[in-house]
């Protein structure tokens, strides 16, 4: 059998147990080195980061996890990044990587944001985080992001269902605004959000299911599709409509070649009316994989390697937004959590989408 644990890859001997005697079964485990996983995987092109954030405050721990990008259309260089320290709370960074704000929100794992949402009667930027402060009772923690001050204000929490909160992403359609909260066991609850009043409310309108531990997700509002990474299995898509079918379609298997488990963060690069790419973190070999949205076809792989700024390894969350982010980030901004930031605490690496496009020949 093969035993898998987070960030570890093992081969083990088959052992036989006596059910009559109820004797113990022991397993010899050997970790497969990252270099071997990389050698066995499909080749990936290399890009380098153009920026990085200040490390999170939690040191000597797996703490930084997931980013979300806000684009400032009036002043692209003043755009912001919200990132989680899953042991402590939420950071807001400028594109220079410096901390603009920190909000003590406890154990918030993943984060997403959406602009143009009605919050307390006014249009604003809504930030949603998967709140796992209570392991058996998932919550969605909601915040307002002030683009002028880069400050976060807590709005409250809504119910995310029974289980441990893990991933989160938001989407909207003509029927309203939704948060998809991914529980650790692969359950995905679609929650209709209402932030128009003094206190936010949420209602679970539909439940989807994958078989095992899942986390990263992203919604393509153009096509009404939800993309979810099942860590040891692969990348799936669902109909994101609250009235849509609940059967998932597998885009890619975690086969150790194109996609090496764990499959983690998910992000979308929309192009035109329906095309573009969905990207997923191939955490097991420190790479990122692109699939075409129109037909789910495999497109290619890339890595963020050491340059003037360090590369990224064992990435959990990613985010991507196309458009104008100033001259340092032509084409758009790709942000990846870095699980091994040299001797410092974990942080987030910033990559120009134009560099990825050039390297991959997109």
């Amino acid at each position: 059998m093969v035993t898998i644990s987070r960030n570890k890859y093992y081969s083990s001997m088959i052992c036989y147990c006596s059910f009559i005697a109820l004797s113990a079964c022991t397993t010899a485990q050997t970790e497969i080195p990252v270099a071997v996983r990389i050698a066995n995987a499909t080749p990936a092109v290399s890009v380098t980061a153009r920026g990085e954030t200040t490390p999170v405050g939690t040191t000597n721990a797996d703490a930084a996890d997931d980013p979300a990008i806000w684009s400032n259309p009036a002043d692209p260089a003043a755009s912001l990044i919200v990132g989680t320290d899953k042991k402590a709370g939420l950071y807001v960074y400028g594109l220079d990587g410096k901390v603009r704000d920190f909000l003590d929100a406890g154990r918030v794992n993943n984060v997403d944001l959406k602009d143009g949402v009605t919050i307390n009667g006014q249009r604003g930027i809504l930030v949603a985080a998967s709140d796992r402060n209570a392991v058996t009772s998932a919550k969605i923690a909601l915040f307002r992001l002030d683009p002028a001050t880069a400050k976060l204000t807590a709005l409250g929490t809504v119910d995310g269902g029974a289980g441990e909160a893990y991933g989160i992403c938001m989407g909207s359609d003509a029927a309203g605004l939704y948060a998809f909260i991914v529980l650790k066991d692969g359950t995905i609850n679609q929650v209709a959000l209402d932030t128009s009043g003094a206190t936010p409310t949420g209602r679970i309108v539909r439940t989807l299911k994958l078989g095992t531990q899942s986390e990263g997700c992203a919604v393509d509002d153009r096509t009404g599709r939800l993309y979810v990474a099942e860590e040891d299995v692969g990348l799936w898509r669902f109909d994101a409509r609250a009235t849509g079918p609940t059967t998932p379609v597998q885009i890619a298997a975690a086969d150790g070649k194109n996609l090496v488990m764990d499959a983690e963060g998910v992000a979308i690069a929309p192009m035109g009316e329906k095309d573009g790419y969905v990207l997923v973190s191939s955490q097991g070999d420190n790479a990122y994989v692109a699939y075409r949205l129109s037909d789910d076809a495999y497109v290619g792989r890339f890595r963020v390697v050491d340059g003037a700024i360090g590369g990224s390894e064992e990435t959990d969350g990613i985010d991507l937004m196309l458009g104008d982010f100033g001259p340092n980030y032509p084409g758009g901004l790709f942000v990846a959590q870095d699980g091994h930031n040299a001797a410092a605490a974990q942080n987030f690496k910033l990559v120009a989408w134009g560099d990825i496009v050039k390297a991959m020949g997109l």
Side-chain angles (χ1 to χ4, degrees):
M1 66 182 176
V2 176
T3 304
I4 305 294
S5 67
R6 184 176 181 80
N7 298 330
K8 301 291 183 184
Y9 299 78
Y10 300 99
S11 61
S12 55
M13 298 175 61
I14 296 175
C15 55
Y16 298 91
C17 300
S18 169
F19 292 98
I20 297 175
L22 298 178
S23 61
C25 176
T26 60
T27 303
Q29 297 182 335
T30 304
E31 182 178 356
I32 300 174
V34 173
V36 175
R37 287 178 252 141
I38 291 174
N40 290 337
T42 305
V45 299
S46 297
V47 299
T48 55
R50 296 193 178 203
E52 64 180 333
T53 67
T54 301
V56 298
T58 302
T59 59
N60 300 316
D62 178 22
D65 196 277
D66 191 44
I69 301 167
W70 175 72
S71 172
N72 187 334
D75 184 2
S79 298
L80 300 170
I81 301 164
V82 180
T84 60
D85 178 335
K86 61 188 176 186
K87 311 289 187 182
L90 289 169
Y91 283 91
V92 181
Y93 304 97
L95 294 191
D96 60 2
K98 295 180 180 178
V99 175
R100 300 288 301 278
D101 190 30
F102 172 75
L103 184 66
D104 182 355
R107 299 176 70 235
V108 287
N109 198 60
N110 279 20
V111 65
D112 197 12
L113 61 81
K114 206 164 187 64
D115 203 348
V117 177
T118 301
I119 305 172
N120 296 341
Q122 296 182 339
R123 290 284 192 181
I125 306 164
L126 180 68
V127 175
S130 53
D131 185 326
R132 60 196 291 202
N133 285 296
V135 174
T136 60
S137 180
K139 300 292 182 184
I140 300 171
L142 298 171
F143 310 85
R144 179 201 290 270
L145 174 61
D146 185 333
T149 63
K151 301 297 183 184
L152 288 165
T153 301
L155 301 173
T157 62
V158 299
D159 180 41
E164 184 176 358
Y166 222 44
I168 197 165
C169 52
M170 287 192 286
S172 61
D173 57 23
L177 173 67
Y178 301 97
F180 294 86
I181 184 163
V182 183
L183 307 185
K184 195 170 185 178
D185 68 354
T187 300
I188 305 153
N189 289 326
Q190 183 171 357
V191 181
L193 296 177
D194 184 353
T195 58
S196 60
T199 303
T201 61
R203 177 174 57 91
I204 297 175
V205 296
R206 192 172 64 142
T207 296
L208 311 170
K209 190 71 174 76
L210 292 174
T212 61
Q213 183 168 310
S214 307
E215 183 175 3
C217 68
V219 179
D220 187 349
D221 284 340
R222 303 167 309 156
T223 59
R225 287 177 170 178
L226 165 71
Y227 297 84
V228 185
E230 186 178 4
E231 294 187 3
D232 293 346
V233 178
L235 180 65
W236 301 84
R237 63 173 166 83
F238 291 88
D239 191 317
R241 297 172 298 174
T243 57
T246 59
T247 303
V249 174
Q250 189 173 58
I251 295 173
D255 59 1
K257 297 294 185 180
N258 292 346
L259 183 58
V260 181
M261 57 186 179
D262 298 337
E264 289 279 349
V266 180
I268 291 173
M271 296 177 181
E273 293 185 358
K274 293 184 178 181
D275 211 351
Y277 308 99
V278 55
L279 275 61
V280 60
S281 169
S282 178
Q283 190 186 73
D285 74 320
N286 305 329
Y288 311 92
V289 192
Y291 300 90
R292 193 161 45 237
L293 291 171
S294 59
D295 59 6
D296 301 335
Y298 167 78
V299 174
R301 293 160 40 86
F302 68 96
R303 291 192 178 92
V304 182
V305 300
D306 291 347
I309 293 170
S312 57
E313 299 175 290
E314 291 195 2
T315 293
D316 285 321
I318 60 175
D319 198 14
L320 170 62
M321 185 171 286
L322 308 190
D324 188 358
F325 285 88
N328 289 336
Y329 297 99
L333 178 64
F334 174 78
V335 181
Q337 181 258 8
D338 182 11
H340 289 285
N341 186 32
Q346 295 177 344
N347 72 345
F348 301 91
K349 297 300 193 285
L350 282 59
V351 183
W353 175 245
D355 292 345
I356 296 170
V357 168
K358 182 178 179 180
M360 295 185 69
L362 299 180

